[in-house]
Amino acid sequence: MTTQPSRPQFGPAPNARAHLPRRLRGILSLNDFEAAARRTLPRPIFGYLQGGVEDNVTLQANHAAFRQWLFRTSVLVDVSGRSQATTLMGERYRAPFGIAPMGLCALFAFEGDLVLARAAEAAGIPFVLSGASLTRLEDVARAAPTCGWFQAYIPGEPAHIEGLVQRVAQAGFRTLVVTVDTATLANRENNVRVGFSTPLRPGPRLAWDGLVRPRWLVGTLARTLLERGMPHFENAGAGRGVPIISRSVVRQFGLRDHLQWEHLALIRRQWKGRLVVKGVISAADVERAGQAGADGVILSNHGGRQLDGTVPPLRVLQEAARVKGGMALMLDSGVRRGTDVLKALALGADHVFVGRPMAYAAAVGGQAGVAHAIGLLQDEIHRDMALLGVSSLAELHPAHLIPA
């Protein structure tokens, strides 16, 4: 008796590509979105999103880390019932990846934060709203009531911490992500070279790049100014933050060199939901986060945007897994393929997060672009699980990998 081959459960089938918006039909992988976004965004905006710091050593190492592992496959295994659904900190998600927090997304696409949030909610994957976003956290909480998380850059004063925590709770977020790897502003030379600055300073270069990219100029910038007014950093504290052109931006987001573990303990006492610490890159700090009461940690080097030369999260994943205790262990920085996701899970991660490609997708195709990006990655994971010989993510183990 013959059986019909299993059909992919996620994303568009190849014969459905014609139904995609024309600008998405040639996008076959997350990597393809980068070139398309380069053609869409003004050079300063694209450069800000793409770049790392100094010599981009960490940025390049993040991608290279995944290539340092090769798969050992199992064959003649019935994988027809495979599933990539997963449970993370008590919540059920349809895939083992989410969208990482990224600031200034409303400059990449009209209502960029909402575009990402709605796509994630529809797909059943977590979306983390950045504390450096230009959209009110209350609006995003309504757009992603089950899958939305909020990421905070900790204000320096206890009173301001309490005000922000209360605001996040009142908005309805159940997961708070505290980023801890921003003790000072990074040396982002790339921003200077492409003409991007914080605060944003409109000038001849940005004006010219906008004119030669009319889709962004009309569809993102002009529409934002007409319908939303001058963008502000909406979520840096208990109230509205400064405009993106204000000289106070650096003061609002920079110089957190006095923050200590005691500040995290203060947040833990005030925050009743799930608490995640993002930006740790050593097993010792994973242990300290657990001692401080964190429910999860995200191994991260900020996508190669802080200290150049920092080790990729994948390289410290196994030692972190040995000391995580009951915490959820997550990872970002450099994830681009379904094989990357499976390698991270095999080495001990419970979940991974994808950043830049999702922002590129929003710039290229709005919510449809992000949905396409999510579907591509889900399709890859579904196919890769079959080729690897596993039916559930729980079956993944370091024995599936060999150092290259």
Side-chain angles (χ1 to χ4, degrees):
M1 182 177 67
T2 60
T3 59
Q4 294 296 318
S6 60
R7 296 177 60 84
Q9 299 173 348
F10 304 102
N15 60 4
R17 191 169 300 280
H19 298 285
L20 289 170
R22 184 175 299 276
R23 59 185 175 273
L24 298 177
R25 292 176 191 172
I27 304 292
L28 306 182
S29 71
L30 294 191
N31 287 321
D32 290 343
F33 278 107
E34 182 173 340
R38 185 190 294 272
R39 296 189 297 268
T40 301
L41 295 172
R43 183 168 177 257
I45 304 297
F46 177 80
Y48 162 79
L49 175 57
Q50 180 201 43
V53 293
E54 296 184 349
D55 299 318
N56 290 325
V57 172
T58 297
L59 183 65
Q60 296 164 12
N62 285 338
H63 301 292
F66 288 96
R67 294 184 175 89
Q68 293 169 1
W69 293 97
L70 302 177
F71 287 111
R72 178 189 284 118
T73 65
S74 298
V75 299
L76 296 179
V77 179
D78 182 358
V79 292
S80 59
R82 62 196 181 278
S83 170
Q84 60 184 276
T86 187
T87 299
L88 180 67
M89 295 187 292
E91 295 288 335
R92 191 72 170 167
Y93 296 106
R94 295 182 204 162
F97 64 89
I99 300 179
M102 294 170 286
L104 305 182
C105 284
L107 291 183
F108 312 145
F110 178 69
E111 294 187 336
D113 299 298
L114 292 173
V115 161
L116 292 163
R118 290 166 182 153
E121 184 75 13
I125 63 172
F127 163 70
V128 190
L129 176 67
S130 170
S133 57
L134 305 176
T135 306
R136 294 177 68 251
L137 63 89
E138 290 82 1
D139 296 337
V140 175
R142 287 190 291 270
T146 63
C147 295
W149 300 8
F150 180 76
Q151 173 261 330
Y153 292 104
I154 308 174
E157 298 78 20
H160 291 174
I161 292 176
E162 182 177 359
L164 177 59
V165 169
Q166 289 178 351
R167 181 184 174 191
V168 175
Q170 290 171 359
F173 287 100
R174 293 176 292 179
T175 302
L176 175 62
V177 180
V178 176
T179 290
V180 294
D181 61 349
T182 55
T184 191
L185 298 175
N187 184 25
R188 298 184 183 176
E189 297 169 359
N190 178 73
N191 289 359
V192 179
R193 293 190 176 98
V194 299
F196 184 89
S197 63
T198 304
L200 188 65
R201 297 188 182 94
R205 177 179 289 185
L206 183 59
W208 171 252
D209 276 308
L211 288 173
V212 298
R213 290 167 176 79
R215 186 163 152 260
W216 175 86
L217 181 65
V218 175
T220 299
L221 180 60
R223 189 177 177 188
T224 297
L225 294 175
L226 286 172
E227 298 187 25
R228 299 287 182 264
M230 177 60 65
H232 284 59
F233 289 101
E234 298 284 359
N235 306 313
R240 190 181 201 190
V242 299
I244 58 173
I245 60 174
S246 171
R247 294 182 179 180
S248 300
V249 169
V250 173
R251 185 169 65 250
Q252 184 164 345
F253 284 100
L255 302 179
R256 294 179 174 83
D257 54 2
H258 61 290
L259 293 173
Q260 304 175 54
W261 286 99
E262 286 76 6
H263 291 90
L264 184 64
L266 172 63
I267 294 173
R268 177 71 283 179
R269 290 193 296 270
Q270 296 176 352
W271 176 254
K272 305 306 179 185
R274 292 181 288 266
L275 179 63
V276 174
V277 179
K278 176 182 180 294
V280 296
I281 204 69
S282 72
D285 280 346
V286 169
E287 285 190 288
R288 293 203 67 175
Q291 294 164 2
D295 299 292
V297 295
I298 301 177
L299 298 176
S300 173
N301 55 37
H302 221 97
R305 295 168 72 89
Q306 288 301 106
L307 176 64
D308 203 21
T310 300
V311 63
L314 194 74
R315 296 286 296 273
V316 299
L317 180 55
Q318 286 182 288
E319 57 189 80
R322 288 193 287 268
V323 301
K324 71 170 187 174
M327 291 187 297
L329 180 60
M330 296 159 277
L331 171 150
D332 69 17
S333 304
V335 177
R336 295 294 182 271
R337 286 284 188 178
T339 49
D340 297 341
V341 176
L342 297 185
K343 288 175 183 179
L345 299 181
L347 292 173
D350 298 305
H351 214 81
V352 306
F353 286 87
V354 182
R356 289 180 180 89
M358 296 299 175
Y360 294 146
V364 172
Q367 186 172 336
V370 181
H372 184 46
I374 293 170
L376 286 171
L377 196 54
Q378 287 177 314
D379 279 349
E380 289 184 7
I381 293 171
H382 187 68
R383 180 170 53 248
D384 295 339
M385 289 177 67
L387 296 173
L388 187 58
V390 298
S391 292
S392 72
L393 302 177
E395 298 175 35
L396 293 169
H397 188 271
H400 284 110
L401 299 175
I402 299 174

